[in-house]
Amino acid sequence: MRITITRTIDVPDDLGSVNALETLVRETGFTLMRELAGTLWQRLQEQHLGCSHCGSQDVERRGHKDYRLLTAFGSVVLPRQRVKCRACGAFSQPMDDWLKELGDHRATWLVQELTSLAGASWPFGDAEVIVERMLLHAVSHEQIRRVASAEGALVANEFEAEAQAVLDAPVFEEGEEDAGGLNVVLDGDWINSRDNPKGMEAKIGVVYSGVEQIGRERRRLVNRRYAATLNGAELLGKLVYAQASKLGVERIGRLRLLGDGARWIDTVGDEHFARAKRILDLWHLERQVRRGLRAVIDDHEELTRQRAQLSQLLRRGQADEVLTVLRGLAAQQTSAGDGAAMPKELSATITYVAGHRQVIVDYEAEQAAGEHVGSGAVEKAGDIVVNRRFKGRRGMRWWRANADGILALRILHLNRDWDAYWQKRRNRASKAA
């Protein structure tokens, strides 16, 4: 098939800037592309004019119905020819098979990809403006929400299926053990929910093999991969392990698991990273100890002295000595008479330190060996994965199902798997066709 399209372009005499030139060329180009798409559609429809049920070419035309398709160059109206088969008597629209792979969105995959990325990156209202600028055609924020949420649900399901496949058939590569290290850091971040007035927790994991210097004062994580879900610790554990498997977790000689001491983190560790060295995040530990001290010490100078003393002990991993000091302060409170009771914050601090005694390490030695001793990696992940999208505007609230889909899209993009996912999507459709 060969099609020739000739078009005359009227260029204004007062075209006075490169920006005006760009606008003219872009608008003219989009108009030409829409015309070409419509012409090609009709030519192809003539070639496929047959019965969709029995395959007979003996059909009679029975009118057409317009189909408005949103493409990467704007909205195109495609006339869908309706035919009646003289052989079997069935009515059909022969080109409908071409449109089935688009789903319910009436938009090409390129547009679906763009709107999914926009919806996962910005508030839907902002995404609406950005997509309109890209396509020179209005796309409502509601349509962007529907497309992104639907695609996100597919991605989330694929993540879960891939993770389960890894657990069902783990890959144990032969050869020598990798002398390098792998860090797994877990944390949670709360977002406002329409399902629950108390909000809902996005559980997040980051896996990385090391840190490298990228500037005078900047560093970045090497081989960083994210996992996140709003559907509980059990699923997060599977997702994190699947990401760790991509970095050869079974061959890694030095495996470390960091967290703030939440019970669900221990559960994930027991289930998927049993051989990892457990480390309680130093920042959370020092913060809890500061809270306990503030609950019983009013004098600023004494508070500063005690904080410095206990911080030094904590950084050396001397948890027993810290507990001795804290329990001494508690004894002073309860022996003061007048029915004085131990402040709740001090009691919580003693429980926290005692309960995590086994995962309070020599932080100074770890740092001297070039290791991380804090959960800064996952705190930053909480900002990148969750906060920038789910807390971008005051009063933003989410349904769990929609939020989990958007979260999955963000993980897909941040792990740099976006192009591979969409290519696989197209390949599946080509094979099905």
Side-chain angles (χ1 to χ4, degrees):
M1 181 192 303
R2 175 175 295 177
I3 294 177
T4 301
I5 296 179
T6 304
R7 191 172 189 86
T8 301
I9 303 174
D10 293 323
V11 180
D13 294 333
D14 59 350
L15 193 70
S17 71
V18 70
N19 292 312
L21 173 64
E22 178 194 49
T23 299
L24 174 65
V25 171
R26 186 163 184 251
E27 291 178 352
T28 303
F30 273 32
T31 300
L32 181 60
M33 284 187 277
R34 289 193 293 271
E35 181 181 337
L36 178 59
T39 301
L40 279 172
W41 170 270
Q42 298 206 55
R43 293 286 185 89
L44 290 166
Q45 188 166 239
E46 290 296 322
Q47 293 181 358
H48 292 79
L49 208 60
C51 178
S52 300
H53 299 279
C54 69
S56 173
Q57 300 298 309
D58 187 11
V59 296
E60 58 181 277
R61 300 172 189 267
R62 287 297 184 92
H64 70 272
K65 186 176 181 180
D66 288 342
Y67 181 97
R68 187 171 293 278
L69 175 66
L70 184 59
T71 73
F73 38 85
S75 180
V76 178
V77 177
L78 305 177
R80 291 186 297 169
Q81 181 67 56
R82 188 169 183 259
V83 300
K84 180 181 179 181
C85 179
R86 293 191 178 96
C88 69
F91 287 87
S92 62
Q93 294 177 147
M95 293 291 281
D96 277 8
D97 286 343
W98 283 43
L99 304 174
K100 285 181 180 178
E101 68 180 19
L102 303 179
D104 300 325
H105 304 306
R106 290 180 176 258
T108 62
W109 275 8
L110 196 56
V111 174
Q112 292 186 39
E113 180 182 354
L114 173 62
T115 51
S116 294
L117 182 58
S121 303
W122 302 289
F124 295 127
D126 295 342
E128 175 183 339
V129 176
I130 293 167
V131 172
E132 181 178 351
R133 295 290 190 277
M134 293 292 294
L135 304 182
L136 297 183
H137 185 274
V139 180
S140 72
H141 67 273
E142 177 59 21
Q143 184 175 359
I144 293 173
R145 184 196 66 78
R146 287 199 307 268
V147 173
S149 297
E151 195 64 43
L154 294 177
V155 174
N157 289 337
E158 185 159 319
F159 280 167
E160 184 172 357
E162 289 178 350
Q164 190 61 53
V166 170
L167 292 172
D168 291 341
V171 177
F172 299 98
E173 297 182 7
E174 297 182 357
E176 296 183 2
E177 184 179 81
D178 191 335
L182 198 64
N183 301 284
V184 180
V185 193
L186 307 176
D187 200 5
D189 209 322
W190 286 82
I191 64 177
N192 293 330
S193 170
R194 294 182 180 272
D195 301 285
N196 188 339
K198 295 182 180 179
M200 54 187 173
E201 185 179 30
K203 289 181 168 57
I204 309 164
V206 183
V207 185
Y208 61 99
S209 59
V211 182
E212 65 179 1
Q213 200 79 21
I214 59 172
R216 184 174 299 177
E217 298 180 354
R218 294 184 61 197
R219 298 188 301 170
R220 70 179 174 190
L221 305 183
V222 178
N223 297 322
R224 175 185 58 197
R225 297 195 68 83
Y226 297 105
T229 182
L230 286 157
N231 290 310
E234 181 179 356
L235 177 55
L236 180 75
K238 296 177 181 180
L239 297 175
V240 173
Y241 181 78
Q243 296 300 328
S245 72
K246 295 180 180 180
L247 300 180
V249 65
E250 296 300 336
R251 295 184 59 217
I252 292 295
R254 191 174 71 259
L255 183 62
R256 304 164 77 245
L257 176 64
L258 291 87
D260 62 4
R263 290 183 181 179
W264 68 265
I265 294 178
D266 291 333
T267 301
V268 170
D270 294 340
E271 180 70 21
H272 300 287
F273 304 101
R275 67 182 181 89
K277 180 179 182 179
R278 308 283 182 91
I279 299 175
L280 182 64
D281 168 40
L282 178 60
W283 185 84
H284 282 92
L285 175 59
E286 290 189 320
R287 183 183 65 172
Q288 184 60 54
V289 170
R290 288 197 300 270
R291 287 175 175 174
L293 292 176
R294 283 199 299 267
V296 295
I297 301 176
D298 295 326
D299 183 74
H300 178 72
E301 291 186 3
E302 176 63 14
L303 177 61
T304 301
R305 186 187 69 79
Q306 288 278 20
R307 281 175 55 180
Q309 176 190 349
L310 294 190
S311 177
Q312 189 176 38
L313 293 173
L314 288 173
R315 289 174 177 271
R316 294 173 181 171
Q318 296 174 309
D320 291 335
E321 288 81 350
V322 172
L323 284 170
T324 298
V325 174
L326 294 175
R327 286 167 177 160
L329 292 171
Q332 293 176 16
Q333 291 291 309
T334 56
S335 64
D338 299 327
M342 186 192 317
K344 291 182 179 180
E345 196 62 59
L346 179 58
S347 176
T349 300
I350 293 173
T351 301
Y352 185 81
V353 176
H356 297 94
R357 174 66 189 86
Q358 300 303 315
V359 290
I360 297 175
V361 300
D362 186 337
Y363 296 101
E364 290 184 349
E366 292 284 328
Q367 287 180 312
E371 301 285 8
H372 271 174
V373 296
S375 58
V378 80
E379 296 287 345
K380 184 62 176 178
D383 178 45
I384 294 173
V385 177
V386 177
N387 294 347
R388 295 185 186 181
R389 178 62 185 90
F390 295 90
K391 300 180 182 180
R393 286 183 175 172
R394 188 175 182 180
M396 186 181 288
R397 295 187 299 157
W398 295 84
W399 296 108
R400 184 181 298 273
N402 290 344
D404 201 59
I406 298 299
L407 190 61
L409 289 175
R410 290 185 67 77
I411 293 296
L412 185 71
H413 177 58
L414 290 168
N415 283 346
R416 300 183 179 181
D417 295 331
W418 187 272
D419 290 340
Y421 168 80
W422 283 95
Q423 185 59 52
K424 184 166 63 174
R425 196 99 139 69
R426 293 182 176 92
N427 290 342
R428 282 200 299 261
S430 298
K431 291 179 181 178

